[in-house]
Amino acid sequence: MRGTILLPQNRFETTRRETFDDGWETVAEELPVLQTQFIPDHAKSILFKNDSPDIPTAYSLNAYRGCEHGCAYCRARPYHEYLGFNAGIDFETKIMVKHDAPELLRKEFSNPHWMPQCIMMSGNTDCYQPAERTHQLTRRLLEVFLEFRNPVSILTKNALILRDLDLLKELSELNLVRTMLSITSIDPELRRKLEPRTSTADRKFKAMSELAKAGVPVGVMVGPIIPGLNDNEVPQILKRASENGAKWVAHTILRLPYAVAPIFTDWIEKNYPEKAGRVMTRIRMIRGGKLNDPNWGTRMSGTGGYADYMHNVIKVLSLKYGMTGHREPVSVHHFRRNGNWGLF
């Protein structure tokens, strides 16, 4: 199952393809099953410098471009257009793989100018997406983080994170890691339609529990919160997260930049036609009448009465369940270069 079958126009292309009725009344054939393609990405660097004031980490790392998880709302979809692909089905089936990612990261850390700081994995696409089972780039990257003792934070929708529990435990012993499991819905049908190739909520809660038992700091990302679709699930998600060891909460409210808007609109109209009008109206209510607000400070949270209400709900429930540990910093004091300590 895929998140979308759309082939939206790439906003950077000057030509447009459209279907038309040729008068032959040809009976439409079933769409072929699309196999995922893994394409080598010969990137020359691996760290992305972020200057957005509403994102806590200055650097992010993505070993893959594109994602098989197929989330209909994924804000990373438009980035595939820079590669000459579309943000729809291409994003889910044409996965760029940075095979040299571990070596590139080692090169960055070996540079005398590198100042140790936390790097976020999955800043754009999920580091534990299905491709990771085969390519194991995330595991190799964690080995580099451990080798240099540089801190890392991880956000994922996939229980595959437990495969690397041994490395995460070692990083945790030096206060070098933070992890988050992203849970959008605990409704099996909604999750299957909205983010078809992610782990189930039950498996993510179990992964959360196993991480916590192993001493690996873990939190929950609630999001995106989609007004009128999954917002009623927020209290139960937070309750179950607290029961499974989550120590802090992060959340976002849906925004639909660029090509994501037509993809999500198509998805909601096909899967939940009875809710589509209400959902799209409420999104506009928190985005100043639009489907996206690109402004720093409000792009993740939205504005207005509904947005304020959701922020307050999460704040109150986070306090109720004792999930307020997100301010605890990771350590940069263990960093070492070429096997030597404190060379920065």
Side-chain angles (χ1 to χ4, degrees), residues 149-202:
R149 306 295 196 260
N150 194 92
V152 59
S153 65
I154 298 171
L155 172 64
T156 184
K157 292 179 176 290
N158 203 313
L160 182 61
I161 189 174
L162 290 181
R163 181 203 63 190
D164 298 333
L165 189 58
D166 56 334
L167 295 174
L168 295 172
K169 286 175 63 176
E170 287 192 66
L171 287 163
S172 178
E173 289 170 359
L174 295 170
N175 190 27
L176 295 174
V177 68
R178 296 289 181 268
T179 63
M180 278 198 299
L181 273 295
S182 175
I183 301 178
T184 307
S185 176
I186 54 179
D187 178 341
E189 180 182 358
L190 176 56
R191 183 211 60 82
R192 183 179 61 83
K193 292 178 178 179
L194 186 61
E195 38 187 44
R197 299 195 175 194
T198 61
S199 297
T200 64
D202 287 343

Side-chain angles (χ1 to χ4, degrees), residues 23 29 47 52 54 59 61 81 95 120 126 145-146 162 176 183 185 235 259 261 291 320 341 343:
E29 298 180 358
L47 296 183
S52 304
D54 54 0
Y59 287 93
L61 186 162
E81 295 179 310
I95 311 299
M120 182 178 184
D126 200 312
F145 278 105
L146 186 59
L162 290 181
L176 295 174
I183 301 178
S185 176
L291 294 178
K320 176 181 178 180
W341 296 88
L343 297 183

Side-chain angles (χ1 to χ4, degrees), residues 20-168:
F20 68 97
D21 183 358
D22 59 8
W24 287 94
E25 298 181 355
T26 305
V27 177
E29 298 180 358
E30 290 188 9
L31 291 173
V33 176
L34 294 174
Q35 299 297 325
T36 303
Q37 301 175 47
F38 299 105
I39 305 168
D41 187 328
H42 302 290
K44 299 301 181 183
S45 61
I46 194 62
L47 296 183
F48 175 77
K49 181 70 165 64
N50 164 59
D51 59 1
S52 304
D54 54 0
I55 295 179
T57 52
Y59 287 93
S60 63
L61 186 162
N62 295 280
Y64 306 99
R65 293 200 275 187
C67 184
E68 276 192 280
H69 279 164
C71 303
Y73 53 77
C74 183
R75 63 174 177 78
R77 285 180 178 273
Y79 287 93
H80 235 45
E81 295 179 310
Y82 290 103
L83 305 175
F85 301 131
N86 66 61
I89 192 62
D90 282 359
F91 179 79
E92 302 177 35
T93 59
K94 293 179 171 61
I95 311 299
M96 305 294 292
V97 182
K98 301 178 183 179
H99 294 285
D100 297 331
E103 290 71 25
L104 291 171
L105 184 61
R106 184 173 285 107
K107 180 179 178 181
E108 294 278 4
F109 289 164
S110 297
N111 188 326
H113 296 292
W114 172 256
M115 297 296 291
Q117 57 191 289
C118 190
I119 295 172
M120 182 178 184
M121 295 182 69
S122 299
N124 216 20
T125 57
D126 200 312
C127 61
Y128 283 109
Q129 63 172 284
E132 174 61 17
R133 295 191 184 98
T134 301
H135 298 286
Q136 299 193 30
L137 290 177
T138 298
R139 181 171 181 84
R140 291 169 56 201
L141 286 163
L142 288 177
E143 290 173 343
V144 177
F145 278 105
L146 186 59
E147 174 188 343
F148 286 84
R149 306 295 196 260
N150 194 92
V152 59
S153 65
I154 298 171
L155 172 64
T156 184
K157 292 179 176 290
N158 203 313
L160 182 61
I161 189 174
L162 290 181
R163 181 203 63 190
D164 298 333
L165 189 58
D166 56 334
L167 295 174
L168 295 172

